[in-house]
Amino acid sequence: MRHEMLPYRPSSLIPPQMVKACLQAVLIIGGALVMTALVMALSLAAGRLSSAQGAEAGETMPSGLFFRSAEQGSGLEAPTLSSDVSMAVNGMVNRVTVRQVFHNPTKQWMEGIYVFPLPERSAVDRLTLTIGERRVAGKIMEKAEAERAYKAAAENGQRASLVSGERPNVFVTSVANIGPGEKITVEIGYQDAVAFENGVFSLRFPMVVAPRYSPAPPAVVEAPSNQPLQPAVDRENPAETRDLFGPVATTEKLNPLSLTVSLDAGMDLRSLRSLYHPVVIETADGTLQKITLRDGSVPADRDFVLEWAPVASAVPQAAVFGEQVGDDTHLLVMMVPPSKAGGRDIAEEPQPGPFPRELVFIIDTSGSMFGESLDQAKTAVITALKRLNPEDRFNVIQFNSETHALYRRPVTASVGNVAQAFHYVSTLEADGGTEMAPALDLALTGGAGDGTISQIVFLTDGAVSNEAELFRLLAERLGESRLFTIGIGSAPNSYFMRKSAELGRGSFTHIGDLTEVTARMEALFAKLENPALTDIRVGWPNAAGKRVEAYPTPLPDLYKGEPVTFSARLAGIRLDELNGQMLITGTGNEGPWQQRLDLSGLQPAAGTASLWARAKLVDIEDQLYQSGGGIDRAAVRAEALALALEHDMVTRYTSLVAIDDEIARPRDEPLQSEEIERNLPAGWDAGKVFGEQPGEAEPATEGPLLRQQALPAPLLQAIEADGQTVLLPQGATPAERMLIIGLAYLLLGLGLLALIRYRSRRATLSGGAPGGVQFV
C-alpha cells in the first residue's frame, strides 16, 4: 500500500489557526469591554442614587468659591464687591466719582474693609454713604479722630464708612454694620489733572494695588536669591496669601469694575484710544465724547489708560484754568516751550553733535517681574543699548534679592561690550525679592566725574513698601546724576516711579505692553539726548497781587516734549478781576527763551483749587526727603494737616468719615469684620511673587462676609480640614470610585491572562500538529 503526501493547497489566504486565534482575541476583548461597562454602570447608578437622596433632602449643587464652616453640613460663600467709575474731563481737569458697592450675603452683621488705588496726585475730597434711599455726607477729620469716631459708631450699631490714605496712591475703605443681605454704596470723589506730553493728552486710572515687597531689617542676614515676597505685618494665619495691604486673590479674578469717561477736550481730535481695555466711543454734540468699556465691566487687575491727540492745527501752546474759592484765585497753568529762541527758528540753527554720556541701566528681575513684564524690560534695555554712541559709557545692573553688575564700572560702548550686554540682558530671569536699595546705591556710587553727563535708567514695577527709605537714598546720593524711571507691567507703583524721577531730576515713562517698547524708548532717548531746559522762572503782573504761591517750587528741569506745568494761588484776588500777562523764561541748549500768557477773561474750572492744594502738599512733604538732616517732622505734619483740613483732602494725616444717625444693628447681634481680597495684577505669577504654596488651594479662616449655605455630603467630604478652600462644582472623580474601578480592571486583566496561559498549555499537552501541514 502506497502512502502519498500531497502538497498543501490552502483554500484561503488566511490560515485557519490564525482565524481561530483572532476570534479568541475578539471574544476576550469583548468580554473585557462588557465587564468594564457593567462596572461603570454600577458606579454611575451609585452616584445617581446619592444625588437623588440629596435632591430628596432639598439639597442643590452650588457653584463658586467656598470655605469650610464650623457649622455642621454647611460651607461659606465668598464676599462680593463691585465698583463703578465715572470721569468728567473738561480740558485738563478730571473730576472722578468712584462708587463701591459692598454686598453682605450672610445672616450676620458685617464690616467690610477694602484696599484700592487712586492716582498719586489725586485730591480726594468727597465721601457719601448710601443706604437705601438715605445719603450721608462725609466729613474730613484728623486721622486718629476720624478712626475713633468710626469705631464708636461701629460699636454703637450705626452704619458708618471711613476712607483713609495709606500712601498717596493707596486708600482703604471701611464700612461698618452692613445688614444681612444688604448692599451699601460708598461714593468717593476726587480731582485729578490730565497729563500732556509730546502733543498727546492722557489720563490713567489704576485698578489694583499690586502686592508690595517689604525688605528685611538691616540686622537680618541676607535672604537667598529665591526669596519670595515678604509680608510686612504679622499674621494669625501664616499660610494666607497677603502682603502689607491685606489678602490677595491668586486663583480667580474678583471685584468687577465698570468705567465711563465723558471727555470734553475743547478741540478737534486726531486720535482717541484706550491702551489696554477695549472700549466703545460715542460722539455727542460738539467735541464731547463718551467712552465706555466694551465688555461692560472688567476684573480690577490692570490700569486703565486713555490717550487723545488734537489735530496738528489745534495742538495747544498754552492753557490756563482758574477757580475762585473765597477771596482767592487758583490757577492751573500748562505751557509748551516755544520752538524759537531769540526770534530765530531752532530747527534752522546748526544742531550740536551728540555729547558723551554715562548711562547705567538698572533692571528689576524680582519675582513680580516674571513673564511679560521682564520681556518688556529686557526689550527696552536692548533697544536702548542699540542707541548708544561709541563715545558713551554704560553698565547694566540687575537686582532681585541680590544685586549684580555686568561690569565693575561703566565701560565704553564698543561693539564687543554692547554685544556682551545684549547676551547678558537676554538671559536674565525673574525670581526672588525686590531689594532696590543696594542696586540704587551701586548705580549712584561715584557718577561720571569728568564732565560727562551721568544718566540712570531704572526699569521696575516699583512693587515695594519702603518708598520713603528709597526717596531719602536718592536725595542724599544723586549728586549730578539724572534718574529716569520706566514703570513696567499692568499695574506699576506710579507714586514711587514718578516721585523717584522728580527727586532724580529726570522723567517717568510707563510701558504696559510689548508693542509700546520701541515708541516709548525712542521718546525717552529723545529726552536723554536733549539737555534739560533749566532755570525756569515765572513773572506775574501787578494784577496778580503780592502774595502768589506757586508749586512746585522751584520748577523742575524739562526735557523735549514736556510742558511747563504748575499750580498757583493768588491771595485776595478775584478771578473776574484778574488781567495782565504772565511771563515764563528759561535757558535751553539753544539759548534763552521766553513766552507770555494772557490772564484776562479766564473761564472758571471747578477742581483747580484742590489740585493746587495737592501740589502744595507734595511740596510740604518733600521736606522729609531733603538731605542734610535736621528735618522737623512735627512741623511738616502740622503744616500738612492744616492744609488738608482747610481743603477737605484725604492724606496720610486725615481721613473722611461718614456716620448715619440711625442705629441699625441690634445690640445683641455681634459685628464681625472681613478684609475683601484684591486681585493679583494681570500677568503676575503668584508662585513667583509669594513663593510656592503647599497644595493647590489656599487656607483661609472663616470670614464674616461668607454666607452659610448647606452643601451636599460628597462636597463636604472633599473639604478635609478647616480652612481648606474648594472650587465647586467638583469636576474630578472621587478617589474611592477611582480605586474601585482600578481594582476591577486589575482583577479582570489577571483573570484573562490566566485563561490564555491555561488554554495555551492545554493545547501543547494534547500534542496537536502544528498548523500549515496536512497528512492524508
Side-chain angles (χ1 to χ4, degrees):
M1 176 181 291
R2 278 190 319 173
H3 296 274
E4 295 181 0
M5 185 173 68
L6 302 178
Y8 169 70
R9 295 182 175 87
S11 59
S12 172
L13 294 176
I14 302 175
Q17 287 77 7
M18 185 176 295
V19 173
K20 184 176 180 181
C22 289
L23 289 175
Q24 290 177 348
V26 168
L27 291 175
I28 292 172
I29 295 172
L33 291 175
V34 169
M35 294 186 66
T36 301
L38 290 174
V39 172
M40 292 181 66
L42 290 174
S43 299
L44 290 174
R48 290 177 180 174
L49 177 60
S50 175
S51 299
Q53 291 174 347
E56 291 176 0
E59 295 179 352
T60 59
M61 187 67 69
S63 62
L65 182 65
F66 285 80
F67 303 89
R68 183 178 178 87
S69 170
E71 183 177 327
Q72 185 66 27
S74 66
L76 297 169
E77 185 178 352
T80 61
L81 177 139
S82 59
S83 301
D84 176 71
V85 180
S86 298
M87 299 185 177
V89 181
N90 184 9
M92 290 191 66
V93 181
N94 183 17
R95 178 63 181 175
V96 185
T97 300
V98 181
R99 296 179 182 86
Q100 299 171 337
V101 181
F102 292 82
H103 177 218
N104 173 16
T106 76
K107 297 179 181 179
Q108 302 171 347
W109 288 84
M110 304 297 173
E111 176 191 34
I113 302 171
Y114 179 59
V115 175
F116 63 100
L118 289 178
E120 64 274 9
R121 292 296 169 87
S122 61
V124 179
D125 57 8
R126 182 166 56 87
L127 168 65
T128 304
L129 182 64
T130 303
I131 313 104
E133 299 297 325
R134 296 196 312 284
R135 293 171 63 85
V136 182
K139 298 179 182 179
I140 193 74
M141 295 183 182
E142 192 273 330
K143 195 168 190 176
E145 180 184 357
E147 290 175 351
R148 285 193 296 267
Y150 171 80
K151 183 178 180 181
E155 293 176 351
N156 196 38
Q158 297 167 269
R159 295 184 178 91
S161 180
L162 178 70
V163 176
S164 301
E166 300 300 315
R167 297 286 193 281
N169 62 338
V170 179
F171 295 79
V172 179
T173 296
S174 302
V175 185
N177 291 308
I178 311 174
E182 188 175 48
K183 291 184 179 180
I184 288 184
T185 301
V186 175
E187 188 174 288
I188 302 165
Y190 72 86
Q191 311 280 358
D192 196 15
V194 170
F196 181 77
E197 188 174 358
N198 295 318
V200 178
F201 293 91
S202 65
L203 64 84
R204 176 183 297 273
F205 181 79
M207 293 189 181
V208 62
V209 177
R212 302 295 175 84
Y213 176 89
S214 295
V220 178
V221 178
E222 185 177 8
S225 59
N226 63 345
Q227 174 185 350
L229 186 148
Q230 296 297 307
V233 294
D234 292 335
R235 308 178 306 205
E236 293 182 1
N237 185 356
E240 185 181 7
T241 303
R242 59 180 295 133
D243 74 330
L244 171 69
F245 297 119
V248 180
T250 58
T251 57
E252 62 177 343
K253 296 296 184 180
L254 308 173
N255 311 325
L257 182 145
S258 58
L259 183 143
T260 302
V261 181
S262 178
L263 172 63
D264 188 359
M267 61 191 76
D268 295 330
L269 299 183
R270 171 170 50 90
S271 65
L272 173 62
R273 62 173 184 155
S274 166
L275 268 59
Y276 312 121
H277 295 84
V279 297
V280 175
I281 301 175
E282 302 176 24
T283 302
D285 297 335
T287 58
L288 184 64
Q289 308 276 348
K290 182 179 179 182
I291 301 98
T292 56
L293 295 174
R294 186 191 65 186
D295 299 327
S297 65
V298 296
D301 64 354
R302 75 175 304 151
D303 292 358
F304 172 85
V305 179
L306 187 71
E307 289 186 349
W308 60 98
V311 295
S313 60
V315 174
Q317 296 303 310
V320 183
F321 301 89
E323 181 182 23
Q324 182 175 328
V325 177
D327 296 329
D328 302 335
T329 288
H330 299 78
L331 301 178
L332 175 64
V333 181
M334 185 275 291
M335 182 180 291
V336 178
S339 60
K340 295 183 179 181
R344 295 170 295 179
D345 193 334
I346 292 175
E348 297 177 356
E349 301 236 354
Q351 296 297 311
F355 47 88
R357 294 167 298 156
E358 180 178 286
L359 273 80
V360 177
F361 300 94
I362 307 176
I363 182 169
D364 182 352
T365 57
S366 63
S368 63
M369 293 284 290
F370 179 78
E372 185 177 350
S373 292
L374 186 59
D375 292 339
Q376 294 169 13
K378 289 161 64 172
T379 304
V381 173
I382 290 174
T383 302
L385 290 171
K386 294 178 180 178
R387 302 263 317 226
L388 293 175
N389 297 310
E391 60 269 21
D392 293 335
R393 298 196 298 267
F394 78 99
N395 201 356
V396 179
I397 298 173
Q398 65 102 358
F399 72 92
N400 40 53
S401 296
E402 299 176 347
T403 297
H404 180 268
L406 176 59
Y407 303 108
R408 283 184 172 272
R409 58 183 62 86
V411 298
T412 57
S414 64
V415 174
N417 288 338
V418 172
Q420 185 179 8
F422 280 4
H423 176 72
Y424 177 76
V425 172
S426 64
T427 58
L428 293 178
E429 297 182 356
D431 200 5
T434 314
E435 296 287 347
M436 284 187 182
L440 283 172
D441 187 67
L442 180 60
L444 294 169
T445 298
D450 58 356
T452 302
I453 294 178
S454 175
Q455 298 171 334
I456 301 170
V457 180
F458 188 17
L459 301 98
T460 177
D461 54 22
V464 292
S465 65
N466 61 327
E467 295 100 329
E469 172 192 341
L470 298 171
F471 294 157
R472 285 191 290 271
L473 174 63
L474 282 172
E476 293 171 359
R477 300 291 308 280
L478 184 68
E480 295 301 318
S481 298
R482 296 293 185 270
L483 176 68
F484 297 81
T485 58
I486 301 179
I488 298 293
S490 59
N493 181 1
S494 55
Y495 161 59
F496 170 75
M497 306 300 294
R498 189 178 304 279
K499 176 54 66 176
S500 296
E502 290 177 357
L503 294 172
R505 290 173 291 177
S507 64
F508 165 53
T509 303
H510 175 243
I511 297 177
D513 192 272
L514 274 174
T515 59
E516 300 175 358
V517 172
T518 301
R520 302 290 189 192
M521 293 304 295
E522 287 179 355
L524 174 61
F525 262 82
K527 298 176 183 179
L528 295 174
E529 294 165 1
N530 286 269
L533 186 66
T534 61
D535 194 28
I536 303 173
R537 299 177 183 273
V538 180
W540 296 91
N542 291 332
K546 297 182 179 180
R547 293 186 296 164
V548 178
E549 285 188 86
Y551 300 99
T553 300
L555 289 171
D557 297 344
L558 298 180
Y559 292 83
K560 182 178 179 180
E562 294 181 336
V564 181
T565 304
F566 62 91
S567 297
R569 181 174 72 173
L570 314 181
I573 304 298
R574 294 184 57 84
L575 181 62
D576 55 5
E577 297 176 354
L578 184 61
N579 56 56
Q581 290 184 326
M582 175 193 307
L583 175 65
I584 301 181
T585 63
T587 303
N589 189 49
E590 296 82 10
W593 67 267
Q594 66 177 24
Q595 187 168 345
R596 295 181 181 274
L597 184 61
D598 193 1
L599 297 178
S600 59
L602 300 179
Q603 295 297 318
T608 304
S610 294
L611 295 177
W612 172 84
R614 171 56 70 176
K616 180 175 181 178
L617 177 68
V618 171
D619 189 82
I620 293 172
E621 293 187 327
D622 279 353
Q623 300 175 45
L624 299 173
Y625 313 127
Q626 293 177 355
S627 59
I631 301 170
D632 189 344
R633 296 183 176 275
V636 171
R637 183 186 186 281
E639 187 178 1
L641 176 60
L643 177 71
L645 292 174
E646 178 186 356
H647 290 270
D648 292 334
M649 291 190 305
V650 175
T651 67
R652 71 176 71 184
Y653 315 105
T654 56
S655 297
L656 271 168
V657 61
I659 300 174
D660 188 12
D661 293 334
E662 178 182 318
I663 296 178
R665 176 173 54 88
R667 294 193 176 276
D668 58 345
E669 291 283 347
L671 177 66
Q672 301 188 47
S673 181
E674 172 72 12
E675 294 177 294
I676 297 177
E677 291 181 315
R678 66 189 197 274
N679 291 325
L680 198 66
W684 283 39
D685 184 280
K688 291 291 183 178
V689 175
F690 294 101
E692 297 298 332
Q693 302 295 312
E696 291 293 328
E698 298 173 3
T701 58
E702 179 178 332
L705 273 184
L706 307 176
R707 181 172 65 194
Q708 298 280 351
Q709 180 169 327
L711 301 181
L715 298 177
L716 289 173
Q717 293 175 1
I719 310 176
E720 297 180 356
D722 288 346
Q724 181 71 33
T725 62
V726 180
L727 187 63
L728 304 179
Q730 187 172 345
T733 307
E736 294 85 352
R737 188 179 303 172
M738 290 293 294
L739 181 61
I740 294 173
I741 294 175
L743 289 174
Y745 284 153
L746 180 61
L747 293 175
L748 176 62
L750 291 174
L752 292 176
L753 180 62
L755 178 62
I756 292 172
R757 291 178 62 86
Y758 171 75
R759 291 178 61 85
S760 175
R761 182 179 300 175
R762 183 176 179 184
T764 302
L765 293 175
S766 63
V773 179
Q774 182 178 7
F775 294 93
V776 179

